[in-house]
Amino acid sequence: MAALSDIRRVLISDLLAPACAEILRSQGGIEVTESPGLSPQELISKIKDYDGLIVRSATKVSSDVLTAGTRLKVVGRAGTGVDNVDVEAATKNGIIVMNTPTGNSISAAELTCGLILSLSRQVPQAASSMKQGKWDRKKYMGSELHGKTLGILGLGRIGKEVATRMQSFQMKTIGYDPIIPPEVTAEFGVQQFPLEEIWGLINDAAFSMCKRGVQVINCARGGIIDEAALLRALESGQCGGAGLDVFTEEPPRDRALVDHPLVISLPHLGASTHEAQNRCGEEIAAQIVDLVKERALVGAVNAPALTRAFSPETKPWVRLGEALGRLLRSLSPEVHGEIQVITSGGALKNSGSFLCSAVAIGLLHNPDKKVNLVNACLFAKEVGIQVNSQYSGTWQTRDWKCREQDCVGTSHFRSPVSLNGTLLVWMGETELPNLVEVLAAANIQLQTFHVSGGHSVAGISAPLPDVSTLGSCLQITL
């Protein structure tokens, strides 16, 4: 974890509120460079000197950028979406990708509500007509929202904010969310239905099931609405209007929807308020400071399991997991297949995810690869190792097998064996006087010594240059 939190220099490559850089400097002691408007090649050339990168939506954080960023530990997206970041490449390179999921929620919700109102009364079209010197009262006949049904796909922070606001217009709110349970959304007045009963992907089939004249809004992501199907529905009258803040291609080269008289189109303005931009900049800076101080990991897109790993009470368990992985690798260099991490006790009830990553780090120790909590399990799978976890409410003693020594047995030590420093491991008991003599000759101290019915383990102050005089002994440095 220390490597992931060792962030000393951060590059901000998009325009952000001044508070972002100020928080990084004053609270995190981080050196900050603000260079908005870099070309892709300039970014690739510059990024090698930085531990962190903060972007909005303009900078494209490609695989080439991430590979060039040999020091990078974190990419922070000041906003919700990470479409402009190659998250898969970041994970492979052991780089945390974090966003600010709450920073623009209010702004995006308010814009969505504004589009609903504007569509129902054709406000932009009427305003444009007035600017042309016209007075078309009859042409722009609208409809009330009162008593209408609003279907919301996605009932997270933004969806909830939209629902509660539109309920004040006495709209009936229904929706779908793949994660949030129906009983939770019912608490804020949204009845959930299966996706296919609402819309699914908004395409020709979805439009055919709707009331004639249905209006659609997309302030989430381009591609949720089949744009060709939307155009056909508008032309046939099946769709009575659309409000689009996002498009499949941005900016859209095909202007058919943008120029359609029943479409209100915006250039992706969901988060474009002073408040949202200030909030997102402040939040991403605070999240990086928390990471540097090892207080918490917030907003991690590609490493949500690591959120718990950065709390003070779990750090020792992470170190233990890594040590156990290194121990297993030393005892069985050809380890492959499934590795089971078994935990018990209240403190470890929800620790399986990060302990699996920690054990994988120990198993894969490789100075040529940047293996850390972000990518360890991914690399483990690539070499045929699957690390799984199992929680047991009560501790059960289990046999362990040392394939290298071709032995099977159980070992119960009277006091814990510290998995730290250099250890000597024997099958059976060893002669303590001979061990002390060998160590003294090498000017090495015996720090701990444990004996059980099956094994002997000695902790020593430094590695022995030659362990052959100690018989069948394995030396492990953790």
Side-chain angles (χ1 to χ4, degrees):
M1 286 190 298
L4 285 172
S5 61
D6 185 18
I7 300 170
R8 304 180 187 184
R9 302 189 73 207
V10 168
L11 173 66
I12 301 176
S13 61
D14 287 332
L15 285 171
L16 283 171
C20 179
E22 177 57 30
I23 290 171
L24 292 170
R25 292 186 182 111
S26 62
Q27 299 183 23
I30 298 170
E31 180 184 337
V32 181
T33 302
E34 298 178 80
S35 298
L38 293 173
S39 69
Q41 283 306 121
E42 288 173 330
L43 180 58
I44 288 172
S45 174
K46 204 175 183 70
I47 197 62
K48 66 181 184 299
D49 298 321
Y50 293 90
D51 308 298
L53 172 65
I54 297 178
V55 303
R56 280 186 61 196
S57 57
T59 298
K60 306 303 178 187
V61 188
S62 65
S63 174
D64 291 338
V65 171
L66 295 163
T67 301
T70 53
R71 286 177 48 176
L72 271 183
K73 283 93 174 177
V74 62
V75 173
R77 163 70 165 96
T80 303
V82 290
D83 300 349
N84 56 320
V85 181
D86 190 331
V87 177
E88 182 179 351
T91 303
K92 287 183 178 178
N93 283 281
I95 300 167
I96 296 172
V97 178
M98 60 170 60
N99 65 353
T100 55
T102 63
N104 61 9
S105 297
I106 299 299
S107 293
E110 289 180 352
L111 179 67
T112 304
C113 296
L115 283 173
I116 295 171
L117 289 161
S118 296
L119 270 180
S120 70
R121 301 302 295 270
Q122 303 184 67
V123 173
Q125 296 92 331
S128 177
S129 174
M130 286 286 290
K131 291 181 185 297
Q132 296 171 21
K134 301 177 182 179
W135 187 259
D136 293 323
R137 294 184 65 192
K138 294 182 179 179
K139 180 178 180 180
Y140 297 111
M141 181 67 66
S143 60
E144 292 182 349
L145 298 178
H146 183 279
K148 301 296 193 302
T149 299
L150 176 65
I152 305 172
L153 298 184
L155 297 168
R157 297 177 182 88
I158 297 173
K160 177 182 178 180
E161 296 293 344
V162 171
T164 54
R165 282 160 175 74
M166 299 317 297
Q167 286 161 12
S168 66
F169 288 85
Q170 283 73 55
M171 294 193 80
K172 177 184 178 182
T173 51
I174 65 172
Y176 167 79
D177 193 283
I179 299 174
I180 301 175
E183 56 269 23
V184 174
T185 63
E187 292 177 1
F188 54 86
V190 179
Q191 181 182 2
Q192 282 208 48
F193 289 87
L195 182 60
E196 59 274 9
E197 288 187 25
I198 300 178
W199 277 330
L201 174 68
I202 304 175
N203 52 22
D204 288 308
F207 280 118
S208 69
M209 294 187 293
C210 295
K211 287 183 178 180
R212 187 170 179 81
V214 65
Q215 297 178 333
V216 296
I217 309 284
N218 188 8
C219 291
R221 289 287 172 267
I224 293 175
I225 297 178
D226 182 332
E227 293 177 356
L230 173 58
L231 185 60
R232 288 189 289 270
L234 288 164
E235 293 296 337
S236 70
Q238 184 65 20
C239 179
L244 305 176
D245 187 43
V246 290
F247 298 85
T248 303
E249 179 185 41
E250 295 185 354
R253 285 182 289 182
D254 185 342
R255 305 279 302 179
L257 282 175
V258 173
D259 296 334
H260 198 284
L262 296 180
V263 174
I264 302 172
S265 54
L266 302 175
H268 205 147
L269 298 180
S272 295
T273 64
H274 296 297
E275 294 84 355
Q277 291 311 304
N278 287 339
R279 200 180 298 121
C280 287
E282 292 169 2
E283 285 186 8
I284 199 67
Q287 288 171 201
I288 291 177
V289 169
D290 281 342
L291 176 61
V292 170
K293 301 292 185 182
E294 295 191 355
R295 291 193 293 245
L297 176 62
V298 179
V301 173
N302 61 336
L306 304 189
T307 302
R308 295 178 179 274
F310 280 81
S311 61
E313 61 271 17
T314 59
K315 291 176 186 176
W317 296 110
V318 173
R319 289 194 292 269
L320 175 61
E322 292 183 20
L324 286 170
R326 290 195 296 271
L327 178 63
L328 179 57
R329 186 191 72 244
S330 299
L331 294 173
S332 184
E334 302 302 321
V335 65
H336 63 277
E338 183 180 0
I339 304 297
Q340 193 80 12
V341 179
I342 301 171
T343 60
S344 66
L348 296 179
K349 189 170 185 178
N350 298 307
S351 66
S353 53
F354 67 77
L355 281 181
C356 286
S357 295
V359 170
I361 290 174
L363 288 169
L364 297 171
H365 180 68
N366 185 343
D368 298 327
K369 276 189 175 181
K370 187 164 69 172
V371 181
N372 57 30
L373 290 169
V374 177
N375 58 14
C377 286
L378 180 66
F379 282 139
K381 288 181 181 179
E382 290 181 355
V383 297
I385 300 173
Q386 178 73 42
V387 185
N388 297 318
S389 66
Q390 177 184 335
Y391 175 76
S392 174
T394 56
W395 173 252
Q396 296 178 355
T397 302
R398 297 174 183 266
D399 291 351
W400 64 276
K401 181 176 181 180
C402 172
R403 295 176 183 170
E404 177 180 279
Q405 304 272 333
D406 192 24
C407 61
V408 178
T410 58
S411 298
H412 305 285
F413 296 103
R414 294 180 180 177
S415 59
V417 178
S418 176
L419 297 182
N420 188 38
T422 301
L423 300 179
L424 299 174
V425 182
W426 295 265
M427 284 298 300
E429 297 186 9
T430 187
E431 295 184 7
L432 186 57
N434 180 47
L435 172 62
V436 172
E437 183 179 338
V438 171
L439 293 176
N443 199 26
I444 295 174
Q445 295 178 346
L446 176 63
Q447 296 177 320
T448 61
F449 189 69
H450 303 266
V451 179
S452 78
H455 296 84
S456 298
V457 179
I460 58 178
S461 61
L464 264 174
D466 181 14
V467 296
S468 60
T469 56
L470 294 176
S472 181
C473 172
L474 177 66
Q475 180 167 254
I476 306 167
T477 298
L478 301 171

